[in-house]
Amino acid sequence: MRIFGQRPLVSFIVSVFNLERYIGACLDSIMIQPFDDYEIVLVNNNSTDGSDAICREYAAHNKQIRYHALTGEPIFGRAVIYGTQKARGQYIHYVDGDDMLAPGAYGEIVHILRSDAPDVLFGRFSTVLEESIINFTDKSFQTERINGRAKDQVLEYLTEAQPFNVATWRLIFSRKLREHFRTPVKRLKEPVNIFHDVYVSVRTLLSARSVHYVDTLVYSYRVRSSSISRITAAGNISECCRLLLSLAWLIRCRAKTEQERGFVRAYMEHFQYQLVAALCTMSDEQITESAAAIDKYLKQKDLKGTPSEDCGCSVINTLISEGAAAGLARLRDRCFSKVEQIARRALAKGGDIYFAPTGQIGLFLKTSFKASGISISGFFDNDVQKNGMLVDGIPVHLPAAVTKIAGDKRVTILIGSGYQNVREELRTQFISLGIDESDLLIVEF
């Protein structure tokens, strides 16, 4: 029970933009949690649908909800930043207005926050897929490799266990760490980077002294094709560049140990791969569009401390030294040449060609291989939620189905992931399922 005058244990910051279909369920999922020592900072980013009326109705009937209706341009990220400034809790948890907390999730969490007081706590999440679109997925981690361990040991383990999907809504973090989420709203002239939550989450974990993991479902993340965070391949490239520069800055200026640097590099390698995969789908006109956005960002004041000769990222080094347009064109041609080499090997084998896993990178690579004459028969993915889905018109299967699919015919599997360990794990898995190693082609850039 909360004692009057004390800070609530948790501030839930709920951001809303045109979410009249979802916001009620989101707020209900918080209010039915098995504790009452919390506040809800509900921030409406100038919605144009019925969200405002719903928010006001909830706030009127629950004193633990503090409602803020912002006016002006609904810049992406503004509501979260504003809510962070207003939060009074000892811990902060972001909840997007179209997502939900899992029933009873905070039963165990509250006890841990009060007894162990970790700087950061996280659990598992699930996804709610709409309109048959693809998305990243979660997995379980080993509690004994995280709880009670030194922070560097935790980061070393999470680096080995990639993918560890980080997002602002995944971390429940101590109030003292909120500085990483507090860009003044008045200075927010442009939308926050779509991948900004990766940067601030990584930086928060670097700053934490202690991390705790609960191997229970905490959060339900809704994936919508109409989400404000859905972006094109061209947008993906400029956003990835911004993130890579931010991560390079973390390595140079904030990461103090080899474990911290290794943890940041895992995300740099993933998003370099994602950038290059998207780049292979780009026309000259799209490259020009992306280059203009990248050049604009490279000239901003916050990059003055990044030496052009080495920012810790080979892709960014190329763009800084050669200019965005020339650098992107050269990277595209070099990487597409690798795609064509792999395509020739796959076509020479004959038979059906599959790709593993699905995801945004999978779709980028599917497009680039199509340009080299490869028609993909299907995807393989270990996410059971995707099994049977049609992704861009192509079926998704669990890897175990490869034995039945192959039968007596030849099957070639292209493996492409931004995480090296995932590529290796998939290769090993298919070999154990009877696929000859020569029929597994790894897409590496």
Side-chain angles (χ1 to χ4, degrees):
M1 179 180 295
R2 180 183 172 191
I3 300 174
F4 181 76
Q6 289 186 344
R7 290 189 183 280
L9 180 64
V10 180
S11 289
F12 294 104
I13 298 176
V14 180
S15 56
V16 182
F17 178 70
N18 290 347
L19 297 177
E20 62 180 0
R21 290 176 54 194
Y22 309 104
I23 186 59
C26 173
L27 294 172
D28 288 341
S29 76
I30 297 173
M31 293 188 295
I32 64 171
Q33 292 299 313
F35 82 119
D36 60 4
D37 192 5
Y38 67 85
E39 67 171 359
I40 298 175
V41 183
L42 180 58
V43 186
N44 180 6
N45 199 7
N46 200 12
S47 298
T48 56
D49 65 356
S51 295
D52 178 71
I54 297 171
C55 291
R56 292 184 185 280
E57 179 71 14
Y58 269 83
H61 291 88
N62 191 318
K63 294 182 179 180
Q64 289 168 289
I65 297 178
R66 295 193 290 128
Y67 178 51
H68 304 272
L70 303 183
T71 58
E73 186 180 355
I75 298 173
F76 180 63
R78 182 177 67 150
V80 169
I81 292 170
Y82 185 90
T84 305
Q85 294 172 342
K86 297 297 182 181
R88 299 182 298 200
Q90 300 170 51
Y91 286 87
I92 292 173
H93 191 180
Y94 296 111
V95 183
D96 291 345
D98 53 349
D99 298 340
M100 295 179 290
L101 295 183
Y106 263 79
E108 180 181 0
I109 290 172
V110 167
H111 172 73
I112 295 167
L113 296 181
R114 287 174 173 161
S115 61
D116 298 340
D119 282 350
V120 174
L121 181 147
F122 71 96
R124 289 190 284 107
F125 69 87
S126 63
T127 54
V128 178
L129 303 181
E130 293 189 356
E131 304 160 23
S132 296
I133 60 176
I134 59 174
N135 184 56
F136 57 86
T137 55
D138 196 24
K139 63 180 182 180
S140 292
F141 297 92
Q142 299 175 29
T143 54
E144 65 273 16
R145 297 289 302 275
I146 299 174
N147 301 339
R149 298 277 185 167
K151 196 271 295 291
D152 275 354
Q153 292 178 308
V154 174
L155 295 183
E156 184 175 35
Y157 166 62
L158 292 177
T159 302
E160 297 170 356
Q162 290 291 340
F164 170 52
N165 294 302
V166 290
T168 50
W169 43 259
R170 180 158 209 184
L171 305 182
I172 303 167
F173 60 93
S174 171
R175 177 183 180 83
K176 64 187 177 185
L177 298 178
R178 68 175 182 161
E179 62 179 296
H180 308 318
F181 302 80
R182 294 185 67 191
T183 303
V185 175
K186 292 181 180 179
R187 284 170 44 195
L188 191 64
K189 305 300 182 183
E190 296 182 353
V192 169
N193 186 343
I194 299 300
F195 301 122
H196 181 69
D197 59 347
V198 174
Y199 163 72
V200 293
S201 297
V202 169
R203 187 173 180 185
T204 298
L205 286 162
L206 294 185
S207 303
R209 292 177 302 177
S210 56
V211 180
H212 196 101
Y213 170 63
V214 291
D215 192 22
T216 56
L217 182 62
V218 174
Y219 197 91
S220 181
Y221 174 66
R222 189 183 303 274
V223 189
R224 298 181 294 120
S225 61
S226 58
S227 169
I228 194 171
S229 62
R230 300 288 120 185
I231 54 176
T232 63
N236 192 291
I237 288 174
S238 59
E239 295 291 87
C240 278
C241 284
R242 293 175 64 185
L243 173 61
L244 289 170
L245 281 161
S246 298
L247 294 176
W249 180 84
L250 280 183
I251 286 182
R252 295 179 61 86
C253 302
R254 287 294 179 266
K256 299 180 177 62
T257 66
E258 188 52 43
Q259 290 83 357
E260 290 181 347
R261 288 187 284 272
F263 183 65
V264 180
R265 287 193 192 101
Y267 294 96
M268 290 187 70
E269 291 169 4
H270 172 76
F271 283 96
Q272 282 193 90
Y273 192 105
Q274 180 166 314
L275 182 153
V276 169
L279 194 57
C280 290
T281 71
M282 301 282 283
S283 65
D284 290 339
E285 292 75 17
Q286 289 172 315
I287 283 203
T288 300
E289 175 191 343
S290 294
I294 293 169
D295 278 331
K296 179 180 178 181
Y297 186 67
L298 291 175
K299 293 176 182 177
Q300 290 182 5
K301 294 180 181 179
D302 60 352
L303 298 182
K304 284 186 176 180
T306 305
S308 60
E309 66 273 13
D310 179 19
C311 74
C313 173
S314 60
V315 168
I316 297 300
N317 287 337
T318 299
L319 300 184
I320 291 177
S321 61
E322 300 186 15
L328 287 176
R330 189 166 77 84
L331 286 169
R332 179 195 60 182
D333 294 343
R334 185 177 69 191
C335 296
F336 192 68
S337 176
K338 292 185 179 181
V339 167
E340 289 180 322
Q341 292 174 19
I342 295 172
R344 285 195 293 270
R345 290 174 58 192
L347 290 170
K349 290 176 174 294
D352 292 339
I353 300 173
Y354 288 77
F355 194 91
T358 58
Q360 195 169 41
I361 287 176
L363 285 179
F364 289 150
L365 291 176
K366 169 185 171 292
T367 300
S368 59
F369 277 110
K370 183 178 181 180
S372 295
I374 281 187
S375 177
I376 303 295
S377 298
F379 287 101
F380 289 112
D381 200 295
N382 279 306
D383 180 7
V384 295
Q385 192 175 12
K386 297 176 183 175
N387 185 35
M389 285 179 57
L390 289 178
V391 174
D392 200 19
I394 297 176
V396 181
H397 310 277
L398 294 173
V402 70
T403 304
K404 182 178 180 180
I405 289 173
D408 296 327
K409 61 184 178 181
R410 191 78 179 258
V411 169
T412 301
I413 302 174
L414 308 177
I415 299 177
S417 168
Y419 299 105
Q420 182 178 351
N421 65 307
V422 172
R423 296 195 295 269
E424 180 57 30
E425 288 167 4
L426 284 168
R427 186 189 72 84
T428 302
Q429 183 178 11
F430 282 117
I431 290 174
S432 70
L433 290 168
I435 300 300
D436 191 276
E437 190 167 5
S438 65
D439 292 326
L440 299 172
L441 303 181
I442 310 298
V443 183
E444 295 180 299
F445 296 114

